[in-house]
């Protein structure tokens, strides 16, 4: 049978389409109007039964070429349900007006076949039948529903092609002898191919995010990260050599890092490829002279020394820049205060004294916040045991005035001693508790808990491996749509005249937690409050 068109029988609109297209095919085959009507009505009776009682119903219209002098129009309706048993009257009526109806069951499908002989089979050539197919393929929509239906069919076909293409790409990426991963701007591993995961013999995509440092040799990682840094600045590629851990050994690989461009043209991730060059590397290393190795070692030590010196210079620059920027602001604010001492309130408003003072204060706070953010790093700093109970006590002392002013109730569980940097933990809890007090239109109630992990859908790790601390408030809360960006720099969810701040506090919190190899999540509901979950690994953090 030459198939002309398919119609899914889902609703009454499909019944109308089936009837019209049966009439059209019969007309195109040169049948008299009475035969057109009888054939279309018989098909419609069975189709109506399929729509009412059937499941996964499909109508196929086509031309059956028995021989050159015998051809017929055929309508085949398949269904998972026994339509004839559901409505015997409809089948009897269809058989009565058609005279050519068959019903059978095969391969879990019930099939109804209705046929009508073509009176002039000689005129129905292969070319003409192909013209029928093209006609229905490109015919204008019969109704808005028909147009939507055609678009949906096209979308399904495109979706299937896309899925097939993605599967082929995944198969290629997983079978080629190249280790591949995708990292984000913070060097966290987002995706890996099977070759890399099998090579490392351990999963990389777990709750505790992994970076390149987890499998690249410690002696090579600085060079790789420095090359990646330059590539990010220049939006260019990086190619180098590094050693990757395999079992207890490290194997030399050629590493290539290229920017992964998003649809909008931005770069938010990087493709990393590793190709095994261990054999070539071993040959080169064997041929090298010991003197040359020593010279290279001295050069590397010199380069590292220069880098350390430059890092110290940058730290000194940050402190100097902070002082030099803050000092003119202090003078401006002092001069504004003195200049406005003898002015009336109307005169101050006329010359925008209040706005200038407010802007200078915001700039001063912004410089302080940015400097604090830049200082959060743990190189050349040593973790020590920190009693979080003492940290909270000091933070509550710093916030005592606003706690008293707002009549806030603060409840604190007995907290653990953890390994880390005392000053950073103070910054962390100061920001979280201050936010809980600030973003509250009533009497704040803040609970700092320690223990189990209820109501945190983002946690997938093992609770036994983490100290879990929660900071819960009854504040204004926030919509879940902001969950992807509240920890980003300068992100504010409210106007400045509603609540103060520079949008750096939560970004600072996340950086502190990541500096301690932990994780911070939150759950929130507008008008009810917010809970921040802090996960700190129980093993030694270094």
């Amino acid at each position: 049978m030459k198939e002309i068109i398919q119609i899914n029988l889902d609703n009454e609109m499909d019944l109308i389409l089936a009837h019209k297209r049966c009439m059209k095919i019969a007309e195109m085959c040169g049948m008299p109007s009475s035969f057109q009507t009888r054939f279309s009505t018989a098909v419609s009776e069975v189709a109506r039964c399929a729509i009412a009682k059937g499941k996964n119903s499909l109508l196929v219209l086509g031309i059956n070429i028995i021989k050159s002098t015998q051809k017929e129009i055929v309508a085949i309706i398949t269904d998972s349900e026994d339509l004839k048993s559901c409505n015997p009257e409809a089948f009897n009526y269809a058989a009565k007006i058609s005279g050519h109806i068959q019903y059978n069951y095969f391969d879990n499908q019930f099939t109804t076949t209705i046929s009508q002989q073509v009176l002039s089979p000689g005129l129905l050539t292969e070319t003409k039948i192909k013209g029928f197919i093209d006609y229905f393929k490109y015919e204008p929509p019969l109704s808005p529903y028909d147009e939507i239906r055609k678009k949906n069919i096209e979308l399904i076909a495109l979706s299937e092609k896309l899925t097939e293409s993605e599967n082929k790409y995944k198969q290629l990426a997983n079978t080629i002898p190249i280790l591949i991963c995708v990292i984000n701007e913070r060097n966290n591993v987002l995706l890996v191919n099977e070759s890399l995961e099998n090579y490392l013999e351990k999963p990389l995509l777990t709750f505790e995010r992994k970076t390149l440092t987890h499998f690249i040799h410690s002696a090579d990682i600085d060079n790789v990260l420095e090359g990646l840094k330059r590539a990010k600045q220049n939006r260019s590629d990086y190619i180098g050599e590094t050693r990757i851990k395999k079992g207890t050994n490290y194997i030399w690989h050629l590493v290539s890092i290229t920017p992964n461009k998003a649809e909008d043209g931005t770069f938010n991730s990087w493709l990393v490829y590793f190709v095994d060059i261990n054999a070539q590397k071993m040959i080169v290393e064997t041929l090298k002279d010991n003197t040359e190795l020593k010279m290279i070692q001295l050069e590397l030590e010199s380069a590292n020394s220069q880098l350390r010196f430059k890092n110290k210079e940058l730290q000194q620059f940050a402190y100097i820049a902070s002082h030099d920027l803050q000092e003119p602001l202090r003078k401006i604010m002092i001069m504004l205060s003195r200049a406005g001492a003898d002015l009336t309130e109307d005169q101050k408003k006329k010359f925008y004294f209040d706005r200038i003072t407010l802007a200078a204060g915001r700039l001063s706070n912004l410089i302080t916040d940015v400097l604090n953010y830049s200082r959060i790093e743990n190189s050349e700093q040593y973790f020590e045991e920190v009693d979080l109970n003492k940290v909270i006590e000091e933070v509550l002392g710093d916030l005592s005035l606003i706690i008293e002013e707002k009549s806030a109730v603060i409840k604190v569980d007995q907290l653990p001693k953890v390994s880390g940097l005392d000053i950073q933990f103070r910054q962390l809890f100061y920001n979280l508790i201050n936010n809980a007090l600030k973003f509250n239109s009533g009497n704040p109630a803040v609970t700092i808990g320690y223990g189990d992990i209820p109501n945190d859908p983002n946690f997938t790790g093992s609770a036994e491996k983490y100290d879990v601390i929660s900071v819960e408030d009854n504040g204004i809360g926030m919509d879940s749509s902001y969950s992807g960006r509240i920890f980003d720099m300068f992100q504010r969810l409210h106007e400045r005249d509603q609540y103060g701040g520079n949008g750096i506090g939560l970004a600072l919190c996340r950086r502190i937690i990541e500096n301690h190899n932990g994780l911070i999540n939150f759950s929130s509901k507008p008008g009810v409050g917010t809970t921040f979950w802090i996960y700190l690994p129980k093993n030694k953090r270094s």
Side-chain angles (χ1 to χ4, degrees):
M1 185 187 78
K2 297 283 187 179
E3 182 181 311
I4 305 299
I5 192 169
Q6 291 187 5
I7 302 173
N8 292 317
L9 299 175
D10 297 323
N11 54 52
E12 292 296 327
M13 296 300 297
D14 294 321
L15 181 61
I16 296 172
L17 290 175
H19 183 81
K20 287 185 176 181
R21 287 190 168 123
C22 286
M23 290 285 291
K24 187 62 180 179
I25 288 178
E27 177 190 345
M28 296 169 81
C29 290
M31 288 186 178
S33 59
S34 59
F35 283 88
Q36 297 175 24
T37 303
R38 292 168 70 88
F39 176 72
S40 302
T41 304
V43 174
S44 296
E45 284 296 317
V46 180
R48 182 180 288 106
C49 184
I51 291 171
K53 304 290 186 178
K55 183 179 180 182
N56 302 321
S57 304
L58 176 68
L59 167 62
V60 178
L61 297 173
I63 305 294
N64 188 21
I65 303 174
I66 302 171
K67 53 186 177 179
S68 60
T69 58
Q70 188 179 356
K71 298 170 184 175
E72 60 185 5
I73 307 173
V74 180
I76 300 175
I77 299 174
T78 57
D79 203 291
S80 302
E81 299 291 333
D82 186 355
L83 300 180
K84 190 173 183 179
S85 298
C86 294
N87 196 339
E89 294 81 4
F91 272 80
N92 291 335
Y93 181 64
K96 181 179 178 181
I97 61 176
S98 171
H100 301 87
I101 184 169
Q102 294 179 349
Y103 189 72
N104 55 54
Y105 176 79
F106 178 75
D107 196 21
N108 296 323
Q109 288 286 325
F110 293 91
T111 304
T112 306
T113 304
I114 301 171
S115 61
Q116 182 67 52
Q117 188 173 358
V118 177
L119 299 180
S120 302
L123 300 177
L124 206 57
T125 63
E126 291 281 347
T127 303
K128 195 167 186 179
I129 294 173
K130 185 179 183 303
F132 292 176
I133 297 173
D134 291 339
Y135 172 83
F136 286 104
K137 183 177 181 181
Y138 300 109
E139 71 169 334
L142 301 177
S143 64
Y145 170 80
D146 190 29
E147 184 175 6
I148 293 171
R149 178 180 165 278
K150 285 187 175 183
K151 294 295 184 184
N152 284 339
I153 292 172
E154 292 175 1
L155 287 173
I156 290 171
L158 287 173
S159 176
E160 290 175 350
K161 288 182 179 179
L162 179 61
T163 301
E164 182 182 358
S165 176
E166 288 179 348
N167 290 336
K168 288 181 179 179
Y169 171 77
K170 288 180 181 177
Q171 184 179 8
L172 176 63
N174 288 328
T175 55
I176 59 176
I178 297 177
L179 314 181
I180 305 173
C181 67
V182 179
I183 61 174
N184 62 11
E185 289 289 342
R186 301 185 67 81
N187 300 333
N188 290 323
V189 177
L190 303 178
L191 293 171
V192 297
N193 71 338
E194 288 182 4
S195 298
L196 178 56
E197 198 152 74
N198 294 336
Y199 185 90
L200 298 176
E201 299 179 349
K202 63 179 180 180
L204 284 174
L205 304 179
T206 57
F207 170 75
E208 185 181 354
R209 290 195 172 185
K210 304 294 191 299
T211 65
L212 296 177
T213 59
H214 284 79
F215 54 89
I216 289 180
H217 197 290
S218 58
D220 303 335
I221 189 63
D222 287 342
N223 290 335
V224 174
L225 294 181
E226 182 64 26
L228 176 58
K229 180 181 177 181
R230 291 195 301 270
K232 288 179 179 179
Q233 291 173 346
N234 302 325
R235 296 301 184 196
S236 60
D237 297 345
Y238 165 74
I239 297 177
E241 295 178 355
T242 187
R243 285 163 286 182
I244 299 180
K245 190 173 185 179
K246 184 176 185 180
T248 57
N249 300 319
Y250 281 91
I251 306 300
W252 279 103
H253 283 75
L254 181 71
V255 56
S256 175
I257 305 178
T258 61
N260 189 19
K261 185 180 290 187
E263 291 183 2
D264 59 0
T266 60
F267 296 95
N268 53 16
S269 61
W270 298 79
L271 294 169
V272 186
Y273 305 91
F274 299 97
V275 179
D276 191 333
I277 58 168
N278 197 64
Q280 300 93 311
K281 193 70 176 178
M282 292 300 99
I283 294 173
V284 172
E285 292 295 323
T286 304
L287 296 175
K288 281 186 178 179
D289 186 78
N290 287 336
T291 304
E292 183 182 354
L293 289 174
K294 291 178 181 179
M295 290 179 62
I296 293 174
Q297 185 177 3
L298 290 173
E299 290 176 0
L300 288 174
E301 290 177 357
S302 176
N304 288 333
S305 177
Q306 291 178 12
L307 284 174
R308 287 193 293 270
F309 179 73
K310 292 295 182 183
N311 285 334
K312 289 182 179 179
E313 283 187 335
L314 287 173
Q315 290 177 358
Q316 292 174 358
F317 172 78
Y319 286 110
I320 294 171
S322 172
H323 178 271
D324 289 350
L325 288 171
Q326 290 280 19
E327 191 59 29
L329 280 174
R330 293 192 193 98
K331 291 181 180 179
I332 290 171
M333 296 174 75
I334 291 171
M335 287 186 285
L336 282 172
S337 176
R338 291 177 180 175
D342 297 326
L343 298 178
T344 65
E345 289 299 319
D346 289 339
Q347 288 174 324
K348 289 180 181 179
K349 290 180 180 179
K350 179 179 179 181
F351 294 111
Y352 303 107
F353 268 64
D354 53 344
R355 295 187 184 181
I356 297 171
T357 303
L358 183 62
R362 283 204 304 265
L363 182 56
S364 178
N365 291 336
L366 180 59
I367 293 170
T368 300
D369 287 345
V370 171
L371 182 64
N372 287 337
Y373 185 84
S374 68
R375 287 173 177 169
I376 301 301
E377 50 85 28
N378 63 359
S379 61
E380 299 185 8
Q381 298 188 55
Y382 298 95
F383 285 3
E384 58 186 9
E385 186 177 78
V386 179
D387 187 345
L388 294 184
N389 298 288
K390 292 183 179 180
V391 170
I392 296 297
E393 183 180 349
E394 293 172 359
V395 169
L396 294 180
D398 294 339
L399 294 170
S400 58
L401 290 179
I402 188 172
I403 292 173
E404 183 178 349
E405 177 184 328
K406 288 204 165 191
S407 300
V409 177
I410 313 293
K411 295 181 180 179
V412 184
D413 288 353
Q414 184 67 25
L415 301 179
K417 294 180 180 180
V418 297
S419 177
L421 301 173
D422 179 87
I423 187 170
Q424 290 188 12
F425 281 128
R426 272 191 278 156
Q427 287 176 298
L428 169 71
F429 286 103
Y430 182 92
N431 278 291
L432 292 177
I433 298 172
N434 186 46
N435 281 355
L437 299 172
K438 178 168 61 175
F439 298 104
N440 196 308
S441 56
N443 293 330
V446 182
T447 301
I448 302 169
Y450 169 62
D452 295 331
I453 314 170
N455 305 323
D456 185 9
N458 296 315
F459 180 75
T460 58
S462 174
E464 292 77 13
K465 296 181 180 180
Y466 296 88
D467 287 318
V468 185
I469 299 145
S470 61
V471 179
E472 181 181 4
D473 65 56
N474 64 339
I476 60 175
M478 68 189 88
D479 193 275
S480 60
S481 61
Y482 298 117
S483 61
R485 59 188 181 93
I486 67 162
F487 292 108
D488 293 340
M489 287 278 285
F490 305 115
Q491 289 295 322
R492 296 177 50 84
L493 306 185
H494 307 89
E495 295 298 326
R496 198 179 296 277
D497 57 359
Q498 290 181 290
Y499 300 97
N502 296 308
I504 296 178
L506 289 180
L508 185 69
C509 291
R510 181 174 68 176
R511 191 163 182 184
I512 290 171
I513 291 299
E514 290 180 349
N515 193 36
H516 288 78
N517 298 324
L519 189 75
I520 182 168
N521 289 330
F522 81 98
S523 60
S524 186
K525 189 174 181 181
V528 176
T530 301
T531 301
F532 284 93
W533 303 96
I534 301 166
Y535 303 92
L536 297 172
K538 289 182 179 179
N539 57 310
K540 184 178 180 181
R541 305 164 184 93
S542 57

